[in-house]
Amino acid sequence: MCGIFGYVSSKEEALGPILIAAAERLTYRGYDSVGAATMNNGKVDLRKDTGKVDAVAAKYNIAEMRGQRGITQLRWATFGEPSQVNSQPHLDSTGDMVGAHNGNVVNNVELRLEFIAEGMTVRSQNDGETCVHAVERYINRGYEFIDAIRLAYGDLQGDYAFVIGRANDDKLYAFKKGSGMVIGIGEGFTCLSSDLPSILPLTRNVIRPQDGEIVTLWADRVEVRSVKDGKQIIRMPETVTESMDAVQKGGYPHFMLKEIHEQAQVARELIHLLDGSPDVQPLVEKMKNARHLYLIGCGTSYHAASVGSVYIAQLAGRAAIPVLAPQFIAQYAPAVGYEDVGIFVSQSGETKDVLNALEAAEKRGMACFGLANVVGSTLTKATSFCLPLCCGYEISVPATKTFTNQVVTFLYLAYRMAGRNTRDLELIPELMNQTLEMVAPQIESIAKDINEWNDMYCLGYGATYAIALEGALKLKEITYAHCEGMLSTEFKHGPLSAVSKGFPIIFCAGSNDVPLIISGINEVKVRGARTIVIGEEDARLRANGDDLVVIPKSDAQISALLGVLPLQLLSYHMSVMRGFDPDFPRNLSKTLTVD
Ligand code: M6R
């Protein structure tokens, strides 16, 4: 997710300890590299590398850094692998400016080429450096610093927050577009951060700038101006009263609930990133031309691959084989070759089962690509290239936002394979927010009603089949109840005998499959089951199911994706009602690096 922190003091002082402490408070966002820069009397001191905060701080003696202004940054790689040169902050060509960002600049690749052509010294692949050169470009053209920053804002596309300072100055400047940023005002200093936790121990007096505003920070005051016309905007400071723990969880009681509510934002960022990624088209070509196309993962990532395979078939008319990684080794690896393509899907990029399958595929010469959240993980290094999921750190063990972004990535790839306009997918974030709003109270009351049951089913068909599998996995994982996910049409082939009065059965109803789902509903209803239907508003579903949990209208593929949100909420509420901690379910760990 990356995090930035900046500090402006009234005098030169030991800033190292302040920057290290602030970086430590940002670590919960996830990171692979750390850097710090101080500025004073015409000099910039920059120290950075990959690794943990304490290790990088010790290696480069960051504690001894002094200055009147300082910046620290924690990097979560998306553009460019984790490395010293890609770590942030970054310098401009001459070393006069230093800046850092969090988020993604999606036209990074094009802008870098322009800056190189304009004669600037571009040292890394990182988009944080691109932000610095974007300002440098206008300085080179003779603009004042504040105007250069305003013009740079217009050139940088994506979702990010950015801070920059000059060696010979007494201020820092910052702006944001789509990402969070908070300004702190203390006694004899001002500061800024990607979010509140790194500011709170210093001051509870904050200003929250909006997109399209430039903030100038002096030690004793802060000025907010509009990017558009440079006019000053009056923003009064507010006093924050929440505890540090509540702030880290964004005011939510658990990370899982916070991450469920982050899904719209990370989906928006992902779609922007895919629009700007040079890796997408070559991958799409490989997928289209493959003899056989395999989508390989475990657990939740396998479910995303399964939804993806339905999208690819429905939209692009191509068969894609979703397969659990260990089964890939047993069933397909002996038969694959260089004409085949495999996409290995993993949140962590470290799941041993997935890496074993990758090794088996590579031995046979198969073309191997990845989808992973943790850039710099083994999977991202071992595949030809790996698309980032762009979710930031997922702390809660149950995967939520990484699942939906895996599914969005497959939907995006299926659109591109089919030659469809991906603009239509920009509706997804808003539809996700609407879904959460629409279903929240009803899901909580259903959770209460069925919480006494320790056995249930979750059924789907087509694209909602794997959504049902995912809902069942979430329910098992954090409620410790048995919940089986199944193709709805299979239920009559055996499990029907388990139905008794009140037995909960959840149906994920795809908008094109309503008649089929209704047959399933009636089959179990006449035997006493309590039927909970997740689908779009439909008089037939309302007349047949006991509860209809309505999700917004969209097309069949997006609708399937939206259907997982009520299931995530249901499992969350049931887990909390049972007195469990959904973030850290017993016996499980976030990353499974064992066979
Ligand atoms: O990191 P990965 O996506 O490779 O992990 C695979 C599974 O262990 C993981 O998806 C697991 O099923 C989830 N924690 C379930 O919520």
Side-chain angles (χ1 to χ4, degrees):
M1 193 81 112
C2 305
I4 53 173
F5 174 85
Y7 190 90
V8 181
S9 170
S10 53
K11 55 183 186 316
E12 194 231 314
E13 60 173 301
L15 291 187
I18 296 172
L19 298 180
I20 295 170
E24 290 284 4
R25 292 192 291 273
L26 285 169
T27 55
Y28 81 102
R29 295 166 66 94
Y31 70 107
D32 47 59
S33 320
V34 188
T38 53
M39 287 147 270
N40 198 39
N41 281 338
K43 280 198 206 113
V44 174
D45 181 359
L46 172 62
R47 309 179 191 194
K48 57 182 188 173
D49 212 336
T50 56
K52 295 287 166 207
V53 174
D54 51 355
V56 175
K59 185 169 169 194
Y60 293 91
N61 206 356
I62 289 178
E64 66 154 33
M65 290 174 80
R66 297 182 64 81
Q68 180 258 330
R69 286 152 297 142
I71 294 172
T72 185
Q73 201 268 7
L74 297 190
R75 175 168 187 248
W76 174 276
T78 41
F79 285 104
E81 59 168 13
S83 66
Q84 209 238 347
V85 73
N86 282 328
S87 305
Q88 299 203 44
H90 292 283
L91 298 171
D92 70 332
S93 302
T94 62
D96 168 51
M97 296 177 220
V98 62
H101 89 319
N102 69 248
N104 294 299
V105 174
V106 299
N107 54 340
N108 177 43
V109 174
E110 300 91 298
L111 286 175
R112 279 181 73 245
L113 294 175
E114 289 173 23
F115 298 149
I116 292 166
E118 287 171 31
M120 294 183 218
T121 307
V122 178
R123 303 173 184 90
S124 74
Q125 275 119 39
N126 184 248
D127 46 341
E129 182 178 356
T130 295
C131 294
V132 178
H133 293 303
V135 178
E136 182 185 353
R137 157 188 273 179
Y138 291 104
I139 297 285
N140 292 346
R141 293 180 190 175
Y143 286 90
E144 289 297 317
F145 199 50
I146 188 88
D147 293 325
I149 295 173
R150 283 175 51 206
L151 290 161
Y153 181 94
D155 289 350
L156 298 165
Q157 294 166 16
D159 301 88
Y160 56 84
F162 176 55
V163 57
I164 187 164
R166 294 185 98 167
N168 251 327
D169 197 349
D170 59 349
K171 308 178 273 298
L172 287 179
Y173 304 81
F175 59 73
K176 72 175 214 76
K177 199 186 254 180
S179 289
M181 191 171 76
V182 188
I183 308 294
I185 302 167
E187 287 289 316
F189 73 89
T190 58
C191 58
L192 74 108
S193 173
S194 302
D195 58 22
L196 264 175
S198 66
I199 285 187
L200 276 193
L202 300 172
T203 176
R204 289 185 163 259
N205 231 5
V206 305
I207 291 177
R208 297 172 199 265
Q210 304 299 302
D211 289 357
E213 296 178 352
I214 295 184
V215 186
T216 308
L217 294 99
W218 289 263
D220 59 352
R221 74 196 155 96
V222 164
E223 196 176 82
V224 182
R225 290 189 178 272
S226 156
V227 166
K228 229 198 253 154
D229 53 20
K231 284 202 182 125
Q232 195 173 344
I233 296 166
I234 303 300
R235 287 211 179 281
M236 297 312 288
E238 55 176 288
T239 306
V240 180
T241 52
E242 296 112 296
S243 72
M244 182 76 167
D245 181 56
V247 167
Q248 279 195 332
K249 289 179 180 152
Y252 293 98
H254 296 96
F255 284 108
M256 180 180 182
L257 198 57
K258 175 173 179 255
E259 286 160 6
I260 287 173
H261 284 89
E262 281 171 354
Q263 289 177 109
Q265 174 65 16
V266 296
R268 184 175 296 116
E269 289 178 20
L270 174 73
I271 293 166
H272 286 166
L273 188 94
L274 293 172
D275 283 340
S277 169
D279 291 335
V280 169
Q281 196 50 37
L283 179 59
V284 165
E285 292 306 324
K286 297 265 182 207
M287 291 167 77
K288 277 163 62 174
N289 296 325
R291 180 181 64 172
H292 296 299
L293 173 60
Y294 299 94
L295 313 180
I296 301 147
C298 293
T300 290
S301 297
Y302 163 70
H303 297 152
S306 304
V307 179
S309 81
V310 179
Y311 288 165
I312 291 168
Q314 289 178 344
L315 297 173
R318 283 295 318 260
I321 303 162
V323 54
L324 287 161
Q327 186 65 10
F328 173 83
I329 298 173
Q331 187 177 349
Y332 296 109
V336 300
Y338 67 91
E339 314 94 316
D340 301 313
V341 169
I343 300 183
F344 294 79
V345 192
S346 174
Q347 183 284 128
S348 61
E350 298 293 351
T351 301
K352 186 74 176 357
D353 287 342
V354 175
L355 298 177
N356 289 345
L358 176 65
E359 196 186 337
E362 280 182 331
K363 270 195 191 136
R364 303 277 313 182
M366 190 167 100
C368 298
F369 303 94
L371 290 190
N373 192 39
V374 184
V375 177
S377 59
T378 308
L379 180 67
T380 62
K381 288 182 180 150
T383 45
S384 303
F385 60 78
C386 191
L387 290 177
L389 290 171
C390 216
C391 293
Y393 200 33
E394 193 175 60
I395 293 173
S396 197
V397 169
T400 52
K401 59 179 177 172
T402 53
F403 172 74
T404 43
N405 264 12
Q406 287 166 343
V407 173
V408 170
T409 306
F410 278 120
L411 187 52
Y412 191 97
L413 292 172
Y415 262 59
R416 290 281 289 262
M417 288 173 80
R420 285 176 68 153
N421 191 343
T422 52
R423 270 275 143 93
D424 301 350
L425 302 180
E426 286 169 13
L427 294 171
I428 290 176
E430 187 44 35
L431 288 167
M432 283 176 151
N433 279 335
Q434 279 175 24
T435 305
L436 289 173
E437 226 169 88
M438 282 164 74
V439 306
Q442 190 184 6
I443 284 290
E444 211 171 333
S445 114
I446 292 172
K448 259 185 222 139
D449 288 357
I450 65 171
N451 198 31
E452 70 194 76
W453 288 85
N454 272 319
D455 200 8
M456 57 198 99
Y457 279 82
C458 191
L459 310 180
Y461 179 82
T464 69
Y465 165 46
I467 295 292
L469 296 182
E470 173 58 11
L473 177 62
K474 287 286 97 85
L475 279 156
K476 279 193 277 265
E477 191 177 13
I478 58 172
T479 70
Y480 313 155
H482 170 249
C483 181
E484 200 170 332
M486 188 172 280
L487 194 73
S488 59
T489 53
E490 278 296 291
F491 198 76
K492 59 183 177 290
H493 294 291
L496 191 54
S497 63
V499 174
S500 58
K501 190 162 169 38
F503 187 88
I505 303 185
I506 303 163
F507 287 87
C508 303
S511 45
N512 292 339
D513 309 314
V514 171
L516 190 84
I517 293 290
I518 288 176
S519 312
I521 292 173
N522 285 311
E523 233 160 50
V524 298
K525 218 174 134 184
V526 293
R527 291 168 174 89
R530 157 116 186 224
T531 55
I532 299 146
V533 188
I534 296 171
E536 294 178 7
E537 182 60 60
D538 187 302
R540 297 163 297 172
L541 292 175
R542 207 167 267 291
N544 286 278
D546 292 312
D547 306 271
L548 176 61
V549 179
V550 179
I551 59 174
K553 280 214 179 304
S554 57
D555 65 30
Q557 288 78 30
I558 295 177
S559 175
L561 166 69
L562 300 178
V564 82
L565 304 187
L567 292 166
Q568 293 170 343
L569 280 181
L570 182 68
S571 55
Y572 169 78
H573 287 301
M574 286 178 66
S575 175
V576 174
M577 281 171 196
R578 288 169 182 229
F580 304 139
D581 180 350
D583 288 337
F584 303 104
R586 69 183 182 207
N587 306 336
L588 298 178
S589 81
K590 185 81 183 155
T591 306
L592 283 166
T593 52
V594 291
D595 284 311

